[in-house]
Amino acid sequence: MTDNTEHPRFHTGSHANSHGGHRRISIFGSTGSIGCNTLDVMAHLGGRDAFQVCAVSGRSNIDLLARQARECGAEIAITADEARYTQLKEALSGTGIEVAAGEAALIEAAGRDTEWVMAGIVGMAGLAPTLAAARRGADIALANKECLVSAGTLFQREIERAGGRLLPVDSEHNAIHQVFDRHQRDSVERIILTASGGPFRSFSSEEMARVTPAMAADHPNWSMGLKISIDSASMFNKALEMIEAMHLFDLRPQQIEVIIHPQSVIHSMVGYHDGSVLAQLGTPDMRTAIGYCLAYPQRPCLPVERLDFARLAQLDFEKPDETRFPPLRLARQAMEKGGLLGAILNGAKEIALEAFIEEKIGFLEMADIVETVMERLGAGVPAIDIQAVYEADAAARMLARELVGD
Ligand code: NAD
Ligand code: MG
């Protein structure tokens, strides 16, 4: 350990480390919204007295990545962008922190021995490093929903084979994990995913056709990365989460319901066959879910805002509208047909989302493109191995690019 007096966010002493020593961990996507929240939670749970950080990673925000690596005393910092290697090397010169760039370096770092890994990279790019960590038996805190959407049971099989835990960070899945009775799983009738409805909950289709990326990026309750914020507005995020939940909790498509709940206080629910419904509630702050995964099976003490029910006064619910939000319907198709359709949906969605961000297509065209790609490629081919997942993803991207006009 180096002297940490210059790292005020990683304070020492005041918080006991419940694990009685340093836990060796890595944070992939540390510069993102999930990554920054993870480092914040770590600071509250003892910082460098409690955690020994192996890897941190980012892509374009090199200044932040270098600062994080110094503050947490990381062993290696990796940028996904090879063109930024020199910049990162210079930013960390003299620190003794190893520097690397590119996808192969991310995979190599994910293979380094740690107890716990935050999978906080956005998109399909997160699959390969997360798999590398899963295959050596690390506990995986999974924020990257694309791993399960695209690779589904194959991904889970790798985790089970190596013996690590899969802990869901996504707030809905984290909520379900908290109230899902694993000892009586046959008594689970359904799960109910809550959705805020996003900024366009009450927009007409005509109004939605005209929204801009800046409007779509402005989530009413949660503060998140750009892509997931836009996916929340289009409901593609909820579509991915339905597929994610089906795999994670080993449920049938019919057992997965979605309800619009504009306050984002109930993070999701599990319905049992005695009629009971168990919910997890909290203020919309990802640090609760991240802390749950970091301290599991204990509960950490976290400085998140407490729910004030008197001020809250009411909780609202409404049925989601699959006509205005077709991604929900597309998710059902992907769940029912299974196979590689999740990978196809996600690959096409990532291209359509980028095209919308670059203002090449309109907001509603994202779902049109994904639907067309699913119709043309989604013949219900089974996912036999990870290679097949990558091939389906590539084919979906190629066709989506053609449809976008790239
Ligand atoms: P973000 O955009 O804020 O951060 C993404 C991170 O991934 C950054 O560190 C970025 O540098 C890195 N990255 C981007 N492209 C990359 C690439 N091609 N290769 C390697 N690294 C790359 O995103 P976020 O909001 O933190 O979300 C991360 C993941 O967590 C997503 O899969 C998202 O769906 C999921 N998630 C996020 C939230 C949230 O509150 N932000 C909630 C639930 C789930
Ligand atoms: Mg979520």
Side-chain angles (χ1 to χ4, degrees):
M1 288 288 287
T2 49
D3 171 51
N4 63 7
T5 49
E6 60 184 291
H7 310 295
R9 287 185 64 236
F10 272 72
H11 47 74
T12 58
S14 59
H15 293 82
N17 171 18
S18 54
H19 297 273
H22 288 97
R23 280 186 86 199
R24 206 171 133 78
I25 72 174
S26 284
I27 306 126
F28 289 91
S30 61
T31 58
S33 161
I34 289 287
C36 290
N37 274 314
T38 305
L39 288 165
D40 185 74
V41 169
M42 285 163 57
H44 285 289
L45 299 182
R48 290 171 73 150
D49 280 350
F51 301 99
Q52 184 196 353
V53 176
C54 173
V56 287
S57 90
R59 190 171 61 166
S60 36
N61 194 342
I62 300 300
D63 289 345
L64 177 60
L65 179 59
R67 192 163 70 240
Q68 290 178 334
R70 281 172 194 265
E71 279 185 6
C72 68
E75 184 177 298
I76 180 169
I78 310 120
T79 163
D81 183 354
E82 290 182 26
R84 294 182 199 264
Y85 172 78
T86 314
Q87 194 191 341
L88 182 60
K89 185 91 188 151
E90 278 165 14
L92 287 173
S93 73
T95 61
I97 297 169
E98 219 181 307
V99 170
E103 195 191 12
L106 281 170
I107 296 169
E108 188 278 326
R112 293 190 189 188
D113 185 40
T114 63
E115 267 180 61
W116 189 91
V117 167
M118 169 53 76
I121 290 175
V122 63
M124 186 67 176
L127 178 60
T130 311
L131 266 176
R135 284 176 175 148
R136 62 173 172 78
D139 285 347
I140 307 289
L142 190 71
N144 177 289
K145 55 194 85 188
E146 294 83 357
C147 285
L148 278 173
V149 172
S150 299
T153 42
L154 292 172
F155 176 73
Q156 274 168 305
R157 210 178 294 157
E158 299 280 354
I159 296 206
E160 279 159 25
R161 197 176 291 156
R165 288 192 185 110
L166 183 56
L167 300 163
V169 175
D170 211 346
S171 59
E172 296 77 1
H173 307 74
N174 185 268
I176 294 166
H177 195 268
Q178 294 195 34
V179 294
F180 193 101
D181 187 345
R182 270 166 288 280
H183 305 294
Q184 299 188 70
R185 51 167 312 119
D186 288 347
S187 65
V188 173
E189 206 166 59
R190 57 181 177 147
I191 59 167
I192 304 147
L193 298 173
T194 54
S196 71
F200 312 136
R201 180 167 60 92
S202 46
F203 275 38
S204 66
S205 295
E206 293 70 36
E207 285 171 310
M208 275 203 275
R210 288 193 298 272
V211 307
T212 62
M215 288 162 77
D218 194 13
H219 196 277
N221 304 336
W222 294 94
S223 155
M224 309 180 284
L226 174 71
K227 289 184 176 175
I228 183 176
S229 297
I230 298 177
D231 280 349
S232 297
S234 65
M235 290 265 189
F236 263 117
N237 182 49
K238 209 50 57 182
L240 301 183
E241 289 181 354
M242 291 162 74
I243 306 171
E244 181 186 10
M246 179 181 78
H247 292 303
L248 200 47
F249 300 104
D250 194 18
L251 298 166
R252 295 186 305 279
Q254 307 86 296
Q255 290 177 289
I256 295 161
E257 297 177 13
V258 173
I259 189 84
I260 305 289
H261 165 44
Q263 291 94 353
S264 300
V265 164
I266 297 180
H267 296 148
S268 279
M269 300 175 262
V270 178
Y272 290 88
H273 65 195
D274 62 357
S276 299
V277 176
L278 268 57
Q280 186 263 349
L281 287 70
T283 47
D285 186 329
M286 286 308 292
R287 292 178 301 170
T288 297
I290 293 168
Y292 175 86
C293 294
L294 194 52
Y296 189 84
Q298 293 168 354
R299 278 193 188 269
C301 178
L302 294 174
V304 299
E305 195 187 330
R306 277 19 179 189
L307 273 182
D308 178 344
F309 285 93
R311 207 177 73 198
L312 198 61
Q314 71 183 64
L315 296 176
D316 297 309
F317 303 95
E318 60 191 62
K319 200 171 163 342
D321 179 351
E322 294 193 2
T323 312
R324 283 185 306 127
F325 294 101
L328 301 176
R329 177 170 53 75
L330 300 178
R332 292 239 169 260
Q333 278 175 25
M335 291 194 295
E336 272 151 25
K337 279 199 185 167
L340 291 165
L341 214 49
I344 291 167
L345 180 153
N346 182 66
K349 191 279 295 177
E350 288 194 21
I351 296 301
L353 173 60
E354 276 163 25
F356 172 66
I357 292 171
E358 291 165 12
E359 301 191 58
K360 290 179 182 162
I361 60 169
F363 186 72
L364 295 177
E365 279 174 276
M366 288 192 283
D368 293 343
I369 286 170
V370 174
E371 184 159 19
T372 306
V373 172
M374 285 173 69
E375 273 167 15
R376 294 211 206 149
L377 300 181
V381 183
I384 42 168
D385 56 21
I386 295 287
Q387 187 55 33
V389 171
Y390 276 108
E391 283 165 15
D393 172 74
R397 283 170 197 268
M398 203 200 299
L399 182 51
R401 278 200 193 96
E402 265 174 44
L403 294 168
V404 163
D406 265 3

